[in-house]
Amino acid sequence: MDTRLHIKQKRIKAEQAVAVGFFVSILLGSVLLALPLSAADGQATPYTDALFTAVTSVCVTGLVTVTTALHWSLFGKIVILILIQIGGLGIMSIMTVFFLALRRRISLGSQKLLKESYNLGQMEGVVGLVKKIVLGTLTVEGAGAVLYACCLVPQYGLRKGVFMSVFNAVSCFCNAGMDIIGPDSLKPFVSNPLMNITTMLLIILGGIGFIVWWDILNFINSRRGANRRRNRQLGLHTKLVLIVTAILVVGGALLILMFEWSNSRTLGNLSVPDKLMAALFQSVTTRTAGFETIAQASFSDATALLSMVLMFIGGSPLGTAGGMKTTTAALVVLLVCMFIQGEESIVLFNRRISMSNVRTAVVIVSVGLTVAVTGTLLLTLAADAPFLDAAYEVVSALGTVGLSRGLTPHLPWAGKVIIMVIMYIGRIGPITLMLALVRKKRKKQQIQYPEQQIMIG
């Protein structure tokens, strides 16, 4: 029997492969980070903190119990960087690239597993898609590192500046929110256009999803040259992602400007251009990135609540961002509009949306809200923390964002465990976790029972 990426579908489901793959990566990463070699002072890191860092890296969240820039040695930072890349690309993509590098053939069963893990409609071309994802990721991260280097190399020197640029580019594109610049994240660069714009572009590119990339590129290519195909249009998924992303980013920035314009602790003392840039950055970074140019605890309660809504929604499917996803939120809103208007189905851009998609969206939001409420309750009890701080930390963990109001570093071990579990659920998805744990039942003969209505509302 030849060595190949081969997984029997009868033994493991795509959801189980994803859940187990991330879990194993976390365990291996935590062991490496617990070594004295990984710490800057040469002392072994307490395993709870090593495990927490491994979880937040693989889950591309960014919540930390120790300062990434100061606590970890070069070896530790490289381990974190690798874990972030694994978490951003996904365990199935990493495994596929590994076996392709060894020139091993990807079995049919493994291709089917890839298709299911990416939730694709067909299996044809799935390996090619993975290659495109990896190549596109490395290209964008490389371009981001070059732009970062223009700012960081003059300030920190060639060797340190280049490594910081690469680390930040990978972390930013993967929406991990971890940086090695210092304990203040990107606050020293609140007025630096190049750092802000580069970071925002990487966050958005990683968050809109790879499928949107290819659709836009194909659309542009179809409009070039002699073979112009005027009937080539953007797909429904791409249109919905771009519209919802624009609404959330621009709308969020305008509301933050409104709430924080005169707040001397946030935007109040900045110039008008810097206010616009800082508000836009906050709106973008809540899309599960986790970098900050302004301390989150300084924002008003209104902005904190708005940020939690944006964090809960997150990015888009088949990207590096977390959250419940833009398309999920859009379908729930459209479902409400459909009900109010008395329509029987959701029609968007002359296309009728499958009701199975709508039901899945409602389940995802319901389960996500349940996890957020339960996690907030448990964290409030375990850490004896203020409600807003606990809720902010939980939603940030569930959306794999990494923004913090300063609570995480001071959590007791029970609080750290709660946040780790929520980060893990947020990264693999609550529905994926449920499907991985529940054994699929055999289909029984469907029986049509009498219909009965109950009182609601």
Side-chain angles (χ1 to χ4, degrees), residues 291-310:
F291 293 95
E292 60 179 20
T293 55
I294 295 175
Q296 300 301 296
S298 299
F299 283 117
S300 64
D301 290 352
T303 301
L305 179 58
L306 172 64
S307 297
M308 283 193 285
V309 172
L310 295 174

Side-chain angles (χ1 to χ4, degrees), residues 25-81:
S25 300
I26 288 170
L27 289 182
L28 292 176
S30 65
V31 171
L32 292 175
L33 291 174
L35 298 174
L37 178 63
S38 296
D41 59 4
Q43 302 294 319
T45 301
Y47 186 71
T48 302
D49 292 326
L51 179 61
F52 194 100
T53 303
V55 173
T56 197
S57 301
V58 173
C59 296
V60 288
T61 304
L63 293 172
V64 293
T65 56
V66 295
T67 304
T68 308
L70 303 179
H71 179 82
W72 303 106
S73 65
L74 177 61
F75 176 79
K77 291 172 183 175
I78 292 174
V79 171
I80 292 172
L81 182 62

Side-chain angles (χ1 to χ4, degrees), residues 309-326:
V309 172
L310 295 174
M311 290 191 294
F312 185 80
I313 296 173
S316 302
L318 202 57
T320 60
M324 300 302 105
K325 303 296 188 291
T326 52

Side-chain angles (χ1 to χ4, degrees), residues 42-367:
Q43 302 294 319
T45 301
Y47 186 71
T48 302
D49 292 326
L51 179 61
F52 194 100
T53 303
V55 173
T56 197
S57 301
V58 173
C59 296
V60 288
T61 304
L63 293 172
V64 293
T65 56
V66 295
T67 304
T68 308
L70 303 179
H71 179 82
W72 303 106
S73 65
L74 177 61
F75 176 79
K77 291 172 183 175
I78 292 174
V79 171
I80 292 172
L81 182 62
I82 294 172
L83 294 177
I84 289 173
Q85 192 72 86
I86 291 173
L89 282 175
I91 193 67
M92 296 305 299
S93 293
I94 296 296
M95 289 173 62
T96 302
V97 171
F98 177 74
F99 279 91
L100 287 174
L102 294 178
R103 299 183 182 278
R104 304 299 184 186
R105 188 171 66 87
I106 308 301
S107 71
L108 194 62
S110 299
Q111 291 183 46
K112 186 177 180 181
L113 198 60
L114 281 168
K115 178 188 78 72
E116 292 176 356
S117 65
Y118 282 121
N119 197 24
L120 298 175
Q122 59 184 17
M123 192 165 61
E124 183 181 359
V126 66
V127 176
L129 175 63
V130 172
K131 292 180 181 178
K132 287 182 179 181
I133 288 174
V134 174
L135 180 60
T137 296
L138 296 178
T139 301
V140 174
E141 289 175 348
V146 171
L147 293 175
Y148 274 136
C150 295
C151 294
L152 299 178
V153 168
Q155 186 169 346
Y156 295 98
L158 181 62
R159 183 177 177 181
K160 186 176 181 181
V162 168
F163 181 69
M164 292 171 68
S165 300
V166 172
F167 189 101
N168 271 38
V170 173
S171 179
C172 190
F173 178 78
C174 292
N175 281 227
M178 302 175 73
D179 70 87
I180 54 173
I181 295 177
D184 295 325
S185 187
L186 300 184
K187 297 186 192 74
F189 300 95
V190 64
S191 301
N192 187 311
L194 183 57
M195 286 290 289
N196 279 261
I197 293 173
T198 300
T199 302
M200 287 188 285
L201 286 176
L202 287 172
I203 293 169
I204 292 173
L205 287 174
I208 62 175
F210 300 108
I211 292 296
V212 175
W213 286 20
W214 314 136
D215 197 22
I216 293 175
L217 289 175
N218 290 334
F219 174 77
I220 294 174
N221 290 333
S222 70
R223 294 296 190 271
R224 291 178 178 176
N227 297 323
R228 294 177 62 182
R229 294 170 291 174
R230 296 183 181 276
N231 61 340
R232 177 70 169 85
Q233 300 294 328
L234 292 175
L236 176 61
H237 172 82
T238 299
K239 292 178 181 178
L240 187 59
V241 166
L242 294 179
I243 290 173
V244 176
T245 298
I247 291 173
L248 293 175
V249 170
V250 176
L254 292 176
L255 289 174
I256 291 169
L257 276 174
M258 184 189 307
F259 298 155
E260 303 294 328
W261 186 271
S262 301
N263 186 349
S264 60
R265 300 175 62 200
T266 55
L267 306 184
N269 296 328
L270 299 176
S271 64
V272 173
D274 288 346
K275 285 182 179 180
L276 296 174
M277 187 165 60
L280 183 62
F281 189 95
Q282 176 67 16
S283 181
V284 171
T285 196
T286 53
R287 312 307 309 290
T288 84
F291 293 95
E292 60 179 20
T293 55
I294 295 175
Q296 300 301 296
S298 299
F299 283 117
S300 64
D301 290 352
T303 301
L305 179 58
L306 172 64
S307 297
M308 283 193 285
V309 172
L310 295 174
M311 290 191 294
F312 185 80
I313 296 173
S316 302
L318 202 57
T320 60
M324 300 302 105
K325 303 296 188 291
T326 52
T327 49
T328 302
L331 288 184
V332 173
V333 172
L334 289 172
L335 176 64
V336 174
C337 295
M338 180 194 79
F339 179 81
I340 293 174
Q341 295 173 359
E343 301 289 343
E344 293 296 328
S345 60
I346 297 175
V347 178
L348 194 62
F349 298 109
N350 298 321
R351 294 292 186 272
R352 183 168 57 86
I353 305 298
S354 169
M355 289 309 295
S356 64
N357 281 157
V358 178
R359 286 194 297 269
T360 302
V362 173
V363 171
I364 290 174
V365 171
S366 300
V367 174

